[in-house]
Amino acid sequence: MTDLHVVDATAEHVDDIVTVIHHAFSARRVLDPPSTALSENATTVAAAVAEHGGLLVLIDGAPVGAMLFEQTGDVLNLRRVSVDPRSQARGVASAMVGCAEEVAVRRGLSRVNLIARVELPDTVEFWRRRGYSVVDQQAQNLIYAKALPIELTVPTAEDMQAIAEELAGQLRAGDLLVLSGDLGAGKTTFTQGLGAGLKVRGAVTSPTFVISRVHPSLSGGPALVHVDAYRLGGFAELDDLDLDASLEDAVTVVEWGHGIAESLAQDRIEIVITRGDDDTDETRALRITAVGSRWAASGVRVSVLEKN
């Protein structure tokens, strides 16, 4: 059994990181202009680790993968993502990237960025499969980004509505939100906050018995389409609602949408609301995940409550 560990880089790992970077980049075909990775040395890597951190991957105690971090504002940039050629196809890169995203979430950052060369199709495909989107191109460099989940502890229903109202200010026609959570977790409460932020007409209530409701805008903005998928048997029944006709012109919210509504759009916001063990406790755990190129460059911002 393979013993794979991803560890936070420290000063004692510098030489191993340099070795992995050199092995990885020297095995790649020569590019024009060439990569500058082979110029990394103990001094440059030590400085990067000390200032921003990084990761080292070990298999059975031997260094096989590495990356350096560079934090700018609320973005974590991944640099020198390297896997020793002898350890490719062993899940090293995926494990390393997953841990890097966890580091960014712990730091309270909103996005992860990196640069990949357009001449390396396997590398480009790897980042696409990891959910990264191209947000810019500078000559041969593709700038990839991915929005990170936001995790919040929400004390009251009023706080939940306030978060949703702030989020509404970042939405536009065509946006899709998929809400999940147990019965009574606060999905409709969240949607009420969206309605307030979008300034739509009509009281936002659970549409369980009518499946969906349309709330027109009172301010010239997009309408709110509120769907309850609880009684639907799958995507085919959701598709029968002919939401495609309204998706481009409205903000669409699908409660109980997990596993059903994701196919409606590649770009979406997935929201999970979790109740506490005590039924008398109003506190909720809220997780907001922005998916797709629509959100990759900006992420989602929430300032109402402090991030966990």
mmCIF file of all heavy atoms in Angstrom, residues 136-187:
data_model
loop_
_atom_site.group_PDB
_atom_site.id
_atom_site.type_symbol
_atom_site.label_atom_id
_atom_site.label_comp_id
_atom_site.label_asym_id
_atom_site.label_seq_id
_atom_site.Cartn_x
_atom_site.Cartn_y
_atom_site.Cartn_z
ATOM 1 N N ASP A 136 -8.002 34.435 -18.274
ATOM 2 C CA ASP A 136 -7.194 35.372 -19.043
ATOM 3 C C ASP A 136 -6.113 34.576 -19.790
ATOM 4 O O ASP A 136 -5.826 33.429 -19.434
ATOM 5 C CB ASP A 136 -6.539 36.411 -18.124
ATOM 6 C CG ASP A 136 -5.981 37.611 -18.881
ATOM 7 O OD1 ASP A 136 -6.283 37.738 -20.086
ATOM 8 O OD2 ASP A 136 -5.244 38.398 -18.277
ATOM 9 N N GLN A 137 -5.548 35.182 -20.827
ATOM 10 C CA GLN A 137 -4.413 34.584 -21.514
ATOM 11 C C GLN A 137 -3.402 35.671 -21.819
ATOM 12 O O GLN A 137 -3.745 36.736 -22.338
ATOM 13 C CB GLN A 137 -4.840 33.887 -22.814
ATOM 14 C CG GLN A 137 -3.667 33.238 -23.550
ATOM 15 C CD GLN A 137 -4.088 32.342 -24.690
ATOM 16 O OE1 GLN A 137 -5.272 32.118 -24.919
ATOM 17 N NE2 GLN A 137 -3.107 31.811 -25.418
ATOM 18 N N GLN A 138 -2.157 35.406 -21.457
ATOM 19 C CA GLN A 138 -1.051 36.334 -21.707
ATOM 20 C C GLN A 138 0.003 35.582 -22.507
ATOM 21 O O GLN A 138 0.753 34.775 -21.950
ATOM 22 C CB GLN A 138 -0.487 36.854 -20.392
ATOM 23 C CG GLN A 138 -1.519 37.601 -19.540
ATOM 24 C CD GLN A 138 -1.021 37.904 -18.142
ATOM 25 O OE1 GLN A 138 0.096 37.570 -17.765
ATOM 26 N NE2 GLN A 138 -1.872 38.550 -17.349
ATOM 27 N N ALA A 139 0.006 35.834 -23.816
ATOM 28 C CA ALA A 139 0.881 35.085 -24.735
ATOM 29 C C ALA A 139 0.607 33.593 -24.589
ATOM 30 O O ALA A 139 -0.520 33.160 -24.741
ATOM 31 C CB ALA A 139 2.334 35.444 -24.487
ATOM 32 N N GLN A 140 1.626 32.795 -24.238
ATOM 33 C CA GLN A 140 1.437 31.349 -24.110
ATOM 34 C C GLN A 140 0.877 30.936 -22.751
ATOM 35 O O GLN A 140 0.608 29.753 -22.517
ATOM 36 C CB GLN A 140 2.771 30.618 -24.334
ATOM 37 C CG GLN A 140 3.303 30.716 -25.747
ATOM 38 C CD GLN A 140 4.167 31.961 -25.935
ATOM 39 O OE1 GLN A 140 4.256 32.801 -25.049
ATOM 40 N NE2 GLN A 140 4.796 32.068 -27.098
ATOM 41 N N ASN A 141 0.712 31.889 -21.844
ATOM 42 C CA ASN A 141 0.279 31.580 -20.483
ATOM 43 C C ASN A 141 -1.238 31.678 -20.353
ATOM 44 O O ASN A 141 -1.837 32.723 -20.642
ATOM 45 C CB ASN A 141 0.926 32.538 -19.483
ATOM 46 C CG ASN A 141 2.418 32.321 -19.361
ATOM 47 O OD1 ASN A 141 2.906 31.203 -19.548
ATOM 48 N ND2 ASN A 141 3.146 33.381 -19.045
ATOM 49 N N LEU A 142 -1.845 30.577 -19.930
ATOM 50 C CA LEU A 142 -3.264 30.576 -19.600
ATOM 51 C C LEU A 142 -3.403 30.835 -18.110
ATOM 52 O O LEU A 142 -2.780 30.147 -17.285
ATOM 53 C CB LEU A 142 -3.899 29.230 -19.949
ATOM 54 C CG LEU A 142 -3.901 28.825 -21.420
ATOM 55 C CD1 LEU A 142 -4.434 27.401 -21.564
ATOM 56 C CD2 LEU A 142 -4.734 29.789 -22.246
ATOM 57 N N ILE A 143 -4.210 31.818 -17.747
ATOM 58 C CA ILE A 143 -4.444 32.134 -16.342
ATOM 59 C C ILE A 143 -5.697 31.393 -15.896
ATOM 60 O O ILE A 143 -6.794 31.654 -16.401
ATOM 61 C CB ILE A 143 -4.608 33.644 -16.116
ATOM 62 C CG1 ILE A 143 -3.531 34.424 -16.870
ATOM 63 C CG2 ILE A 143 -4.596 33.948 -14.613
ATOM 64 C CD1 ILE A 143 -2.119 34.071 -16.511
ATOM 65 N N TYR A 144 -5.514 30.468 -14.996
ATOM 66 C CA TYR A 144 -6.628 29.674 -14.481
ATOM 67 C C TYR A 144 -7.037 30.182 -13.099
ATOM 68 O O TYR A 144 -6.204 30.662 -12.326
ATOM 69 C CB TYR A 144 -6.243 28.204 -14.362
ATOM 70 C CG TYR A 144 -6.346 27.428 -15.643
ATOM 71 C CD1 TYR A 144 -5.297 27.423 -16.560
ATOM 72 C CD2 TYR A 144 -7.486 26.697 -15.950
ATOM 73 C CE1 TYR A 144 -5.385 26.702 -17.750
ATOM 74 C CE2 TYR A 144 -7.583 25.973 -17.133
ATOM 75 C CZ TYR A 144 -6.531 25.984 -18.025
ATOM 76 O OH TYR A 144 -6.627 25.283 -19.191
ATOM 77 N N ALA A 145 -8.325 30.019 -12.790
ATOM 78 C CA ALA A 145 -8.810 30.412 -11.467
ATOM 79 C C ALA A 145 -9.956 29.510 -11.052
ATOM 80 O O ALA A 145 -10.633 28.894 -11.892
ATOM 81 C CB ALA A 145 -9.261 31.869 -11.463
ATOM 82 N N LYS A 146 -10.167 29.437 -9.756
ATOM 83 C CA LYS A 146 -11.278 28.666 -9.198
ATOM 84 C C LYS A 146 -11.752 29.362 -7.935
ATOM 85 O O LYS A 146 -10.944 29.721 -7.069
ATOM 86 C CB LYS A 146 -10.825 27.240 -8.869
ATOM 87 C CG LYS A 146 -11.916 26.339 -8.306
ATOM 88 C CD LYS A 146 -11.366 24.952 -8.035
ATOM 89 C CE LYS A 146 -12.427 24.010 -7.510
ATOM 90 N NZ LYS A 146 -11.890 22.642 -7.263
ATOM 91 N N ALA A 147 -13.062 29.591 -7.856
ATOM 92 C CA ALA A 147 -13.636 30.178 -6.651
ATOM 93 C C ALA A 147 -13.694 29.118 -5.554
ATOM 94 O O ALA A 147 -13.962 27.943 -5.822
ATOM 95 C CB ALA A 147 -15.027 30.720 -6.942
ATOM 96 N N LEU A 148 -13.464 29.535 -4.320
ATOM 97 C CA LEU A 148 -13.434 28.609 -3.197
ATOM 98 C C LEU A 148 -14.726 28.687 -2.387
ATOM 99 O O LEU A 148 -15.392 29.728 -2.366
ATOM 100 C CB LEU A 148 -12.246 28.932 -2.293
ATOM 101 C CG LEU A 148 -10.875 28.715 -2.925
ATOM 102 C CD1 LEU A 148 -9.792 29.295 -2.036
ATOM 103 C CD2 LEU A 148 -10.622 27.230 -3.171
ATOM 104 N N PRO A 149 -15.076 27.597 -1.714
ATOM 105 C CA PRO A 149 -16.284 27.625 -0.876
ATOM 106 C C PRO A 149 -16.144 28.617 0.276
ATOM 107 O O PRO A 149 -15.042 28.866 0.776
ATOM 108 C CB PRO A 149 -16.378 26.191 -0.347
ATOM 109 C CG PRO A 149 -15.512 25.366 -1.231
ATOM 110 C CD PRO A 149 -14.420 26.277 -1.708
ATOM 111 N N ILE A 150 -17.264 29.175 0.658
ATOM 112 C CA ILE A 150 -17.344 30.019 1.845
ATOM 113 C C ILE A 150 -18.127 29.252 2.895
ATOM 114 O O ILE A 150 -19.230 28.755 2.617
ATOM 115 C CB ILE A 150 -18.036 31.357 1.540
ATOM 116 C CG1 ILE A 150 -17.207 32.175 0.554
ATOM 117 C CG2 ILE A 150 -18.290 32.145 2.822
ATOM 118 C CD1 ILE A 150 -17.897 33.442 0.090
ATOM 119 N N GLU A 151 -17.584 29.123 4.096
ATOM 120 C CA GLU A 151 -18.251 28.407 5.175
ATOM 121 C C GLU A 151 -18.519 29.376 6.325
ATOM 122 O O GLU A 151 -17.600 30.032 6.816
ATOM 123 C CB GLU A 151 -17.406 27.224 5.634
ATOM 124 C CG GLU A 151 -17.199 26.184 4.532
ATOM 125 C CD GLU A 151 -16.362 24.996 4.971
ATOM 126 O OE1 GLU A 151 -15.767 25.081 6.073
ATOM 127 O OE2 GLU A 151 -16.297 24.008 4.229
ATOM 128 N N LEU A 152 -19.782 29.455 6.722
ATOM 129 C CA LEU A 152 -20.198 30.409 7.735
ATOM 130 C C LEU A 152 -21.055 29.730 8.795
ATOM 131 O O LEU A 152 -21.794 28.784 8.487
ATOM 132 C CB LEU A 152 -21.017 31.545 7.108
ATOM 133 C CG LEU A 152 -20.352 32.400 6.035
ATOM 134 C CD1 LEU A 152 -21.405 33.230 5.315
ATOM 135 C CD2 LEU A 152 -19.308 33.298 6.664
ATOM 136 N N THR A 153 -20.966 30.219 10.016
ATOM 137 C CA THR A 153 -21.909 29.867 11.060
ATOM 138 C C THR A 153 -22.897 31.019 11.181
ATOM 139 O O THR A 153 -22.503 32.153 11.452
ATOM 140 C CB THR A 153 -21.200 29.632 12.405
ATOM 141 O OG1 THR A 153 -20.274 28.550 12.267
ATOM 142 C CG2 THR A 153 -22.209 29.303 13.488
ATOM 143 N N VAL A 154 -24.166 30.732 10.930
ATOM 144 C CA VAL A 154 -25.195 31.773 10.858
ATOM 145 C C VAL A 154 -26.071 31.681 12.105
ATOM 146 O O VAL A 154 -26.806 30.706 12.281
ATOM 147 C CB VAL A 154 -26.045 31.604 9.582
ATOM 148 C CG1 VAL A 154 -27.030 32.754 9.452
ATOM 149 C CG2 VAL A 154 -25.154 31.519 8.348
ATOM 150 N N PRO A 155 -26.038 32.692 12.976
ATOM 151 C CA PRO A 155 -26.739 32.593 14.260
ATOM 152 C C PRO A 155 -28.263 32.623 14.161
ATOM 153 O O PRO A 155 -28.956 31.910 14.890
ATOM 154 C CB PRO A 155 -26.221 33.808 15.042
ATOM 155 C CG PRO A 155 -24.961 34.212 14.348
ATOM 156 C CD PRO A 155 -25.167 33.864 12.907
ATOM 157 N N THR A 156 -28.817 33.449 13.261
ATOM 158 C CA THR A 156 -30.263 33.659 13.252
ATOM 159 C C THR A 156 -30.812 33.656 11.832
ATOM 160 O O THR A 156 -30.072 33.794 10.858
ATOM 161 C CB THR A 156 -30.632 35.000 13.910
ATOM 162 O OG1 THR A 156 -30.150 36.068 13.084
ATOM 163 C CG2 THR A 156 -30.040 35.117 15.308
ATOM 164 N N ALA A 157 -32.138 33.545 11.742
ATOM 165 C CA ALA A 157 -32.804 33.622 10.441
ATOM 166 C C ALA A 157 -32.591 34.993 9.811
ATOM 167 O O ALA A 157 -32.454 35.110 8.584
ATOM 168 C CB ALA A 157 -34.288 33.335 10.604
ATOM 169 N N GLU A 158 -32.550 36.027 10.624
ATOM 170 C CA GLU A 158 -32.318 37.381 10.099
ATOM 171 C C GLU A 158 -30.927 37.487 9.481
ATOM 172 O O GLU A 158 -30.748 38.122 8.433
ATOM 173 C CB GLU A 158 -32.477 38.420 11.221
ATOM 174 C CG GLU A 158 -33.906 38.612 11.720
ATOM 175 C CD GLU A 158 -34.386 37.468 12.605
ATOM 176 O OE1 GLU A 158 -33.528 36.695 13.103
ATOM 177 O OE2 GLU A 158 -35.606 37.346 12.794
ATOM 178 N N ASP A 159 -29.945 36.847 10.108
ATOM 179 C CA ASP A 159 -28.598 36.839 9.538
ATOM 180 C C ASP A 159 -28.578 36.082 8.212
ATOM 181 O O ASP A 159 -27.899 36.493 7.257
ATOM 182 C CB ASP A 159 -27.613 36.181 10.510
ATOM 183 C CG ASP A 159 -27.378 37.019 11.758
ATOM 184 O OD1 ASP A 159 -27.326 38.255 11.631
ATOM 185 O OD2 ASP A 159 -27.267 36.430 12.841
ATOM 186 N N MET A 160 -29.322 34.976 8.134
ATOM 187 C CA MET A 160 -29.390 34.212 6.898
ATOM 188 C C MET A 160 -29.949 35.069 5.767
ATOM 189 O O MET A 160 -29.439 35.069 4.638
ATOM 190 C CB MET A 160 -30.258 32.971 7.099
ATOM 191 C CG MET A 160 -30.277 32.025 5.897
ATOM 192 S SD MET A 160 -28.719 31.126 5.677
ATOM 193 C CE MET A 160 -28.857 29.913 7.009
ATOM 194 N N GLN A 161 -31.002 35.814 6.062
ATOM 195 C CA GLN A 161 -31.589 36.680 5.043
ATOM 196 C C GLN A 161 -30.633 37.796 4.644
ATOM 197 O O GLN A 161 -30.556 38.176 3.469
ATOM 198 C CB GLN A 161 -32.905 37.251 5.551
ATOM 199 C CG GLN A 161 -34.018 36.212 5.668
ATOM 200 C CD GLN A 161 -35.332 36.800 6.138
ATOM 201 O OE1 GLN A 161 -35.361 37.861 6.752
ATOM 202 N NE2 GLN A 161 -36.426 36.107 5.861
ATOM 203 N N ALA A 162 -29.890 38.312 5.625
ATOM 204 C CA ALA A 162 -28.947 39.390 5.316
ATOM 205 C C ALA A 162 -27.821 38.901 4.398
ATOM 206 O O ALA A 162 -27.390 39.615 3.480
ATOM 207 C CB ALA A 162 -28.365 39.951 6.615
ATOM 208 N N ILE A 163 -27.345 37.678 4.619
ATOM 209 C CA ILE A 163 -26.311 37.108 3.749
ATOM 210 C C ILE A 163 -26.847 36.962 2.335
ATOM 211 O O ILE A 163 -26.183 37.318 1.348
ATOM 212 C CB ILE A 163 -25.849 35.750 4.301
ATOM 213 C CG1 ILE A 163 -25.074 35.946 5.608
ATOM 214 C CG2 ILE A 163 -24.987 35.012 3.279
ATOM 215 C CD1 ILE A 163 -24.799 34.658 6.349
ATOM 216 N N ALA A 164 -28.060 36.428 2.220
ATOM 217 C CA ALA A 164 -28.654 36.230 0.897
ATOM 218 C C ALA A 164 -28.898 37.565 0.200
ATOM 219 O O ALA A 164 -28.721 37.683 -1.019
ATOM 220 C CB ALA A 164 -29.966 35.465 1.035
ATOM 221 N N GLU A 165 -29.286 38.571 0.960
ATOM 222 C CA GLU A 165 -29.523 39.892 0.364
ATOM 223 C C GLU A 165 -28.223 40.478 -0.177
ATOM 224 O O GLU A 165 -28.196 41.092 -1.254
ATOM 225 C CB GLU A 165 -30.145 40.832 1.396
ATOM 226 C CG GLU A 165 -30.613 42.147 0.825
ATOM 227 C CD GLU A 165 -31.480 42.934 1.790
ATOM 228 O OE1 GLU A 165 -31.874 42.396 2.844
ATOM 229 O OE2 GLU A 165 -31.768 44.120 1.491
ATOM 230 N N GLU A 166 -27.124 40.279 0.555
ATOM 231 C CA GLU A 166 -25.825 40.737 0.052
ATOM 232 C C GLU A 166 -25.435 39.967 -1.207
ATOM 233 O O GLU A 166 -24.938 40.552 -2.184
ATOM 234 C CB GLU A 166 -24.749 40.561 1.121
ATOM 235 C CG GLU A 166 -23.373 41.022 0.655
ATOM 236 C CD GLU A 166 -22.278 40.819 1.692
ATOM 237 O OE1 GLU A 166 -22.575 40.247 2.774
ATOM 238 O OE2 GLU A 166 -21.139 41.217 1.426
ATOM 239 N N LEU A 167 -25.662 38.669 -1.204
ATOM 240 C CA LEU A 167 -25.341 37.852 -2.368
ATOM 241 C C LEU A 167 -26.155 38.295 -3.581
ATOM 242 O O LEU A 167 -25.655 38.299 -4.711
ATOM 243 C CB LEU A 167 -25.607 36.383 -2.068
ATOM 244 C CG LEU A 167 -25.370 35.384 -3.206
ATOM 245 C CD1 LEU A 167 -23.926 35.440 -3.685
ATOM 246 C CD2 LEU A 167 -25.727 33.972 -2.760
ATOM 247 N N ALA A 168 -27.404 38.694 -3.354
ATOM 248 C CA ALA A 168 -28.269 39.113 -4.464
ATOM 249 C C ALA A 168 -27.657 40.265 -5.248
ATOM 250 O O ALA A 168 -27.848 40.370 -6.465
ATOM 251 C CB ALA A 168 -29.650 39.510 -3.930
ATOM 252 N N GLY A 169 -26.911 41.118 -4.571
ATOM 253 C CA GLY A 169 -26.280 42.247 -5.240
ATOM 254 C C GLY A 169 -25.181 41.834 -6.207
ATOM 255 O O GLY A 169 -24.720 42.655 -7.004
ATOM 256 N N GLN A 170 -24.749 40.569 -6.144
ATOM 257 C CA GLN A 170 -23.710 40.069 -7.042
ATOM 258 C C GLN A 170 -24.278 39.221 -8.175
ATOM 259 O O GLN A 170 -23.535 38.702 -9.004
ATOM 260 C CB GLN A 170 -22.714 39.235 -6.230
ATOM 261 C CG GLN A 170 -22.064 40.017 -5.100
ATOM 262 C CD GLN A 170 -21.383 39.121 -4.083
ATOM 263 O OE1 GLN A 170 -20.532 38.295 -4.430
ATOM 264 N NE2 GLN A 170 -21.749 39.258 -2.816
ATOM 265 N N LEU A 171 -25.599 39.068 -8.206
ATOM 266 C CA LEU A 171 -26.238 38.206 -9.187
ATOM 267 C C LEU A 171 -26.710 39.003 -10.395
ATOM 268 O O LEU A 171 -26.908 40.213 -10.318
ATOM 269 C CB LEU A 171 -27.432 37.486 -8.556
ATOM 270 C CG LEU A 171 -27.121 36.603 -7.349
ATOM 271 C CD1 LEU A 171 -28.400 36.006 -6.790
ATOM 272 C CD2 LEU A 171 -26.128 35.501 -7.723
ATOM 273 N N ARG A 172 -26.920 38.291 -11.496
ATOM 274 C CA ARG A 172 -27.443 38.886 -12.705
ATOM 275 C C ARG A 172 -28.347 37.873 -13.400
ATOM 276 O O ARG A 172 -28.371 36.690 -13.028
ATOM 277 C CB ARG A 172 -26.309 39.310 -13.638
ATOM 278 C CG ARG A 172 -25.508 38.150 -14.211
ATOM 279 C CD ARG A 172 -24.255 38.627 -14.914
ATOM 280 N NE ARG A 172 -23.558 37.519 -15.582
ATOM 281 C CZ ARG A 172 -22.291 37.550 -15.948
ATOM 282 N NH1 ARG A 172 -21.562 38.642 -15.714
ATOM 283 N NH2 ARG A 172 -21.733 36.510 -16.552
ATOM 284 N N ALA A 173 -29.071 38.330 -14.392
ATOM 285 C CA ALA A 173 -29.947 37.438 -15.145
ATOM 286 C C ALA A 173 -29.156 36.261 -15.691
ATOM 287 O O ALA A 173 -28.051 36.428 -16.213
ATOM 288 C CB ALA A 173 -30.625 38.203 -16.280
ATOM 289 N N GLY A 174 -29.711 35.068 -15.555
ATOM 290 C CA GLY A 174 -29.050 33.857 -16.014
ATOM 291 C C GLY A 174 -28.378 33.076 -14.909
ATOM 292 O O GLY A 174 -27.962 31.926 -15.133
ATOM 293 N N ASP A 175 -28.251 33.641 -13.719
ATOM 294 C CA ASP A 175 -27.584 32.936 -12.628
ATOM 295 C C ASP A 175 -28.502 31.880 -12.024
ATOM 296 O O ASP A 175 -29.717 32.065 -11.902
ATOM 297 C CB ASP A 175 -27.142 33.917 -11.537
ATOM 298 C CG ASP A 175 -25.909 34.703 -11.940
ATOM 299 O OD1 ASP A 175 -25.156 34.223 -12.799
ATOM 300 O OD2 ASP A 175 -25.705 35.811 -11.397
ATOM 301 N N LEU A 176 -27.907 30.757 -11.628
ATOM 302 C CA LEU A 176 -28.619 29.633 -11.032
ATOM 303 C C LEU A 176 -28.066 29.368 -9.642
ATOM 304 O O LEU A 176 -26.849 29.316 -9.453
ATOM 305 C CB LEU A 176 -28.449 28.383 -11.893
ATOM 306 C CG LEU A 176 -28.943 27.054 -11.296
ATOM 307 C CD1 LEU A 176 -30.450 27.038 -11.179
ATOM 308 C CD2 LEU A 176 -28.446 25.867 -12.139
ATOM 309 N N LEU A 177 -28.966 29.179 -8.673
ATOM 310 C CA LEU A 177 -28.582 28.799 -7.320
ATOM 311 C C LEU A 177 -29.282 27.491 -6.976
ATOM 312 O O LEU A 177 -30.493 27.349 -7.178
ATOM 313 C CB LEU A 177 -28.975 29.871 -6.297
ATOM 314 C CG LEU A 177 -28.234 31.212 -6.396
ATOM 315 C CD1 LEU A 177 -28.924 32.138 -7.381
ATOM 316 C CD2 LEU A 177 -28.150 31.882 -5.031
ATOM 317 N N VAL A 178 -28.508 26.530 -6.470
ATOM 318 C CA VAL A 178 -29.030 25.221 -6.094
ATOM 319 C C VAL A 178 -28.934 25.105 -4.579
ATOM 320 O O VAL A 178 -27.833 25.107 -4.016
ATOM 321 C CB VAL A 178 -28.247 24.085 -6.778
ATOM 322 C CG1 VAL A 178 -28.811 22.733 -6.373
ATOM 323 C CG2 VAL A 178 -28.274 24.253 -8.293
ATOM 324 N N LEU A 179 -30.084 25.007 -3.900
ATOM 325 C CA LEU A 179 -30.135 24.993 -2.445
ATOM 326 C C LEU A 179 -30.401 23.590 -1.930
ATOM 327 O O LEU A 179 -31.278 22.879 -2.441
ATOM 328 C CB LEU A 179 -31.242 25.919 -1.931
ATOM 329 C CG LEU A 179 -30.861 27.384 -1.672
ATOM 330 C CD1 LEU A 179 -30.426 28.060 -2.957
ATOM 331 C CD2 LEU A 179 -32.015 28.142 -1.023
ATOM 332 N N SER A 180 -29.634 23.192 -0.918
ATOM 333 C CA SER A 180 -29.811 21.887 -0.284
ATOM 334 C C SER A 180 -29.836 22.073 1.224
ATOM 335 O O SER A 180 -29.222 22.999 1.768
ATOM 336 C CB SER A 180 -28.676 20.932 -0.664
ATOM 337 O OG SER A 180 -28.589 20.784 -2.072
ATOM 338 N N GLY A 181 -30.526 21.171 1.890
ATOM 339 C CA GLY A 181 -30.607 21.213 3.339
ATOM 340 C C GLY A 181 -31.810 20.440 3.816
ATOM 341 O O GLY A 181 -32.769 20.220 3.072
ATOM 342 N N ASP A 182 -31.780 20.044 5.079
ATOM 343 C CA ASP A 182 -32.895 19.295 5.634
ATOM 344 C C ASP A 182 -34.152 20.148 5.711
ATOM 345 O O ASP A 182 -34.102 21.376 5.578
ATOM 346 C CB ASP A 182 -32.530 18.798 7.044
ATOM 347 C CG ASP A 182 -31.377 17.806 7.034
ATOM 348 O OD1 ASP A 182 -31.211 17.131 6.008
ATOM 349 O OD2 ASP A 182 -30.652 17.725 8.041
ATOM 350 N N LEU A 183 -35.273 19.490 5.944
ATOM 351 C CA LEU A 183 -36.540 20.185 6.119
ATOM 352 C C LEU A 183 -36.416 21.171 7.283
ATOM 353 O O LEU A 183 -35.986 20.808 8.378
ATOM 354 C CB LEU A 183 -37.651 19.174 6.407
ATOM 355 C CG LEU A 183 -39.087 19.693 6.350
ATOM 356 C CD1 LEU A 183 -39.441 20.108 4.926
ATOM 357 C CD2 LEU A 183 -40.056 18.618 6.852
ATOM 358 N N GLY A 184 -36.757 22.427 7.008
ATOM 359 C CA GLY A 184 -36.683 23.445 8.047
ATOM 360 C C GLY A 184 -35.301 24.021 8.273
ATOM 361 O O GLY A 184 -35.092 24.791 9.222
ATOM 362 N N ALA A 185 -34.351 23.681 7.408
ATOM 363 C CA ALA A 185 -32.987 24.176 7.611
ATOM 364 C C ALA A 185 -32.875 25.672 7.345
ATOM 365 O O ALA A 185 -32.031 26.361 7.933
ATOM 366 C CB ALA A 185 -32.017 23.414 6.711
ATOM 367 N N GLY A 186 -33.697 26.193 6.430
ATOM 368 C CA GLY A 186 -33.634 27.624 6.147
ATOM 369 C C GLY A 186 -33.500 27.960 4.681
ATOM 370 O O GLY A 186 -33.099 29.072 4.330
ATOM 371 N N LYS A 187 -33.845 27.028 3.802
ATOM 372 C CA LYS A 187 -33.715 27.276 2.360
ATOM 373 C C LYS A 187 -34.643 28.399 1.898
ATOM 374 O O LYS A 187 -34.231 29.291 1.151
ATOM 375 C CB LYS A 187 -34.001 25.985 1.584
ATOM 376 C CG LYS A 187 -33.029 24.841 1.877
ATOM 377 C CD LYS A 187 -33.304 23.614 1.051
ATOM 378 C CE LYS A 187 -34.639 22.978 1.388
ATOM 379 N NZ LYS A 187 -34.723 22.509 2.780
#
